[in-house]
Amino acid sequence: MAANFFLELLKDVMSSALQEELRPQSELPKEAEPEIPHKFLSLKDDVAKIRFCLDKKKIPKHSEVFKPKNNSKSAQARAKGNELYKNGDFVEAFQMVNLSQLICLPSIFSKRKMGYANRSAVFFKCGFYKFCLDNIQLAYDNNYPEELREKLETRRLDCIKMLEKGVDSEEKYEKERIPLKLSHPADKNIPMMIKGLELAQNEQYGRFVRTNRDLNPGDILLIENAFTSTPMPEKQFHLCDNCLDDKSLNLLPCEKCTGVMFCSKKCQLEAEKRFHKYECPIIDALSPLTYSASAKPATVATRAALKSLTMFENFEDLQKLVAEIGNKNEVFNVDYKNLSEEQYFRALFSIPTNISRNSRVSFDIANCCAEIWILLSHFTDLPKILDSREKQDFFLKLLYRLFYVTPTILGQENLYGNGIFGLSEMINHSCAPNIYRIFNQGTSAVVAIQSIKAGEQIFDCYHSSLNHLFEHLEVRQETLRTVHFFECKCEACTKNYPMQLDLMGRGDMRFYRKQTQDYEECAENDEIDVKNAKMKLVEYKRLLKKYEKNRPSSDLMLCQAFVTHVTARLVFGRDICQKLKAV
């Protein structure tokens, strides 16, 4: 509800073009797919495909690529933030203040002093005293008027008093969290994964991941950080664009564009060095770009390519690395004990793809790469690095390849970003998966949601819309054929498992009421008893083992939902909405 409400508020202060960009893809009108030219179908080389599409593209106007900062809209957003603050809508108030800070004109950055002062008031009200002090200092650094400082100084002194008493909301919420750790000893070569998972291959599944040990419901099997990630557009004023941390909405704006915010100067400098210096001039045109087959975002693949370019001081070193990888599958063979960015790239770049399997997807990706290259080559300084046709072709081939490394949607019910992972992407799909991935910032943790016997395969669900609980068999099959190029023969498809509503209609309503109450106490309430949540988690893991023999059933579905969401709640803590609504 908060995200939808925020999007409605944005319509009052942002251009109609940007409103369209912020609309969820599912709401956008579907256009007829263009016919694939016969000449394109004859092309075998990736770069040739992109350059074929480039010949058909027009260079956009600068006004279509970059949206300048606007102090009038900044003032409107700040006024709305004040109004929301007075009404006690702290989440929306924060986001409006952040929007105001982000779109403030470069010539009058000092206007931000009022925004920082306003944000300090919200932090003080919510008990985030350290963040309040940070924003008071930012207001002072931006020449906050002397005649208004008395109230701000009183707030600063009150913050110091509260911190001396050991009172601070952020510290309190951090203490609620339990460590995120593997449930079994780590693999000696891959310390972020339990010992017992292995990569295998056969004719039916191609490459896949299986276990050589028995696994229990609730076991955490793999903890992995994304190579690169990006927030969803609607989280633009909510999350750090570099690490996806919300830092309780204490975010710093980019000084040049209206597209990104950061949780710290460290993240801002890192992003600027690795990718944002190139995407900053084109972020408003880049963010809404997807390729039509599955609406994969262009930003995450572009960032991965740009990070790769800045991985070495010399361009030639990257070329040598790519040549060395060749067609080898090294996902399970890199040095994960000393996982450098170079090693991670090696794993990522060697993930097997189905590049030649679908001409429609190939055409869509080539078109998207062409649009990205037009933006990068005409509106950024990237051509200073890619100063020859050979280097440009190498980058285009790299970008094309990285589009096929499936970006993972971070957060399956409440979408907040996309990321590219290595090990996790080796897990095959099932419409009735035996694992679930929980996310925080750019970290993914793989959690077993049923017993998995030694020798059995690990199955993920590529997207919540492909789970039998949420979509009909025919729709799932068509999506998997069109987008992922295979005929799904999982248990849910071969036995035509029922959807969620059908299962609920056959279930035990007493257990449903019990689970609902337990779930609210342990995951949804603004205040939870961590000790009680831990005890309930043990109970539901036991119930999972009891009910899994009746798969599929509403009881099993409810137990799986409880285990995954309460595990996420305990290890990642409450989200920003819960923190602020607890006030």
Side-chain angles (χ1 to χ4, degrees), residues 200 202 204-209 424-430 433-435 457-462 486:
N202 63 24
Q204 179 182 357
Y205 290 105
R207 54 99 184 112
F208 60 91
V209 179
S424 307
E425 300 303 338
M426 301 300 291
I427 301 174
N428 278 336
H429 167 83
S430 169
N434 53 20
I435 62 99
Q457 187 174 169
I458 306 297
F459 285 110
D460 193 5
C461 184
Y462 285 169
F486 70 89

Side-chain angles (χ1 to χ4, degrees), residues 45 350 474 527 582:
D45 180 73
S350 69
E474 294 78 11
E527 296 287 346

Side-chain angles (χ1 to χ4, degrees), residues 82 94 155 161 175-176 201 211 259 285 287 289 315 343 504 549 581:
N82 290 339
F94 262 127
R155 187 179 301 153
K161 289 177 183 178
K175 288 177 182 177
E176 290 180 352
Q201 188 166 344
T211 176
S287 293
L289 276 183
F315 182 85
Q343 289 288 322
M504 291 303 300
K549 61 180 179 292
K581 289 175 181 177

Side-chain angles (χ1 to χ4, degrees), residues 556-579:
L556 178 66
M557 174 185 70
L558 292 169
C559 287
Q560 289 177 337
F562 185 93
V563 168
T564 53
H565 288 81
V566 173
T567 298
R569 176 69 168 80
L570 288 174
V571 300
F572 295 139
R574 67 182 74 192
D575 65 24
I576 183 60
C577 297
Q578 289 176 318
K579 290 178 182 179

Side-chain angles (χ1 to χ4, degrees), residues 176-209:
E176 290 180 352
R177 296 170 56 177
I178 63 174
L180 175 61
K181 60 181 181 180
L182 298 173
S183 299
H184 299 282
D187 185 280
K188 66 178 182 179
N189 296 317
I190 310 177
M192 67 277 294
M193 182 182 79
I194 64 165
K195 182 180 180 181
L197 297 188
E198 58 188 15
L199 187 66
Q201 188 166 344
N202 63 24
E203 187 174 339
Q204 179 182 357
Y205 290 105
R207 54 99 184 112
F208 60 91
V209 179

Side-chain angles (χ1 to χ4, degrees), residues 74-297:
S74 174
Q76 291 178 50
R78 189 162 56 251
K80 278 202 170 287
N82 290 339
E83 179 185 336
L84 289 163
Y85 169 67
K86 291 175 183 177
N87 293 334
D89 297 328
F90 298 128
V91 176
E92 289 78 17
F94 262 127
Q95 292 181 109
M96 274 297 163
V97 172
N98 283 346
L99 169 60
S100 171
Q101 301 297 83
L102 180 59
I103 63 178
C104 187
L105 279 166
S107 59
I108 43 176
F109 277 152
S110 59
K111 289 286 184 182
R112 286 191 183 152
K113 62 195 174 192
M114 307 308 295
Y116 291 130
N118 290 350
R119 204 160 67 177
S120 75
V122 187
F123 277 130
F124 185 81
K125 181 72 174 178
C126 299
F128 291 87
Y129 300 115
K130 287 183 179 178
F131 290 153
C132 179
L133 288 176
D134 290 343
N135 281 268
I136 290 172
Q137 188 59 51
L138 285 167
Y140 286 166
D141 292 345
N142 282 271
N143 300 315
Y144 195 73
E146 289 290 341
E147 63 272 18
L148 299 177
R149 289 197 178 199
E150 182 177 353
K151 186 175 181 180
L152 210 58
E153 186 63 16
T154 299
R155 187 179 301 153
R156 188 184 72 84
L157 295 173
D158 287 341
C159 281
I160 293 172
K161 289 177 183 178
M162 297 306 292
L163 289 172
E164 287 175 347
K165 294 178 181 178
V167 179
D168 187 72
S169 291
E170 187 68 9
E171 288 187 359
K172 168 192 167 185
Y173 297 138
E174 284 300 306
K175 288 177 182 177
E176 290 180 352
R177 296 170 56 177
I178 63 174
L180 175 61
K181 60 181 181 180
L182 298 173
S183 299
H184 299 282
D187 185 280
K188 66 178 182 179
N189 296 317
I190 310 177
M192 67 277 294
M193 182 182 79
I194 64 165
K195 182 180 180 181
L197 297 188
E198 58 188 15
L199 187 66
Q201 188 166 344
N202 63 24
E203 187 174 339
Q204 179 182 357
Y205 290 105
R207 54 99 184 112
F208 60 91
V209 179
R210 68 184 175 199
T211 176
N212 60 27
R213 67 184 303 160
D214 290 345
L215 302 173
N216 294 311
D219 284 354
I220 296 177
L221 314 180
L222 171 66
I223 301 170
E224 187 175 19
N225 295 322
F227 179 78
T228 191
S229 57
T230 180
M232 293 291 194
E234 59 266 33
K235 297 295 186 180
Q236 173 177 23
F237 319 110
H238 191 146
L239 301 173
C240 174
D241 230 73
N242 187 52
C243 72
L244 270 62
D245 193 351
D246 64 35
K247 273 292 185 294
S248 297
L249 301 182
N250 191 29
L251 301 174
L252 301 172
C254 174
E255 302 290 358
K256 298 174 184 177
C257 72
T258 60
V260 301
M261 301 190 81
F262 303 100
C263 67
S264 65
K265 278 292 183 184
K266 179 182 177 182
C267 264
Q268 188 168 10
L269 292 171
E270 181 180 327
E272 179 69 19
K273 178 181 178 183
R274 301 307 308 279
F275 57 83
H276 190 60
K277 62 183 175 182
Y278 300 116
E279 69 174 23
C280 184
I282 60 171
I283 192 69
D284 297 308
L286 180 64
S287 293
L289 276 183
T290 62
Y291 80 83
S292 59
S294 64
K296 287 184 182 179

Side-chain angles (χ1 to χ4, degrees), residues 430-432 488-497 551-552:
S430 169
C431 301
C488 188
K489 297 181 180 179
C490 72
E491 187 173 304
C493 288
T494 55
K495 296 183 178 180
N496 197 7
Y497 276 6
R551 186 169 64 243

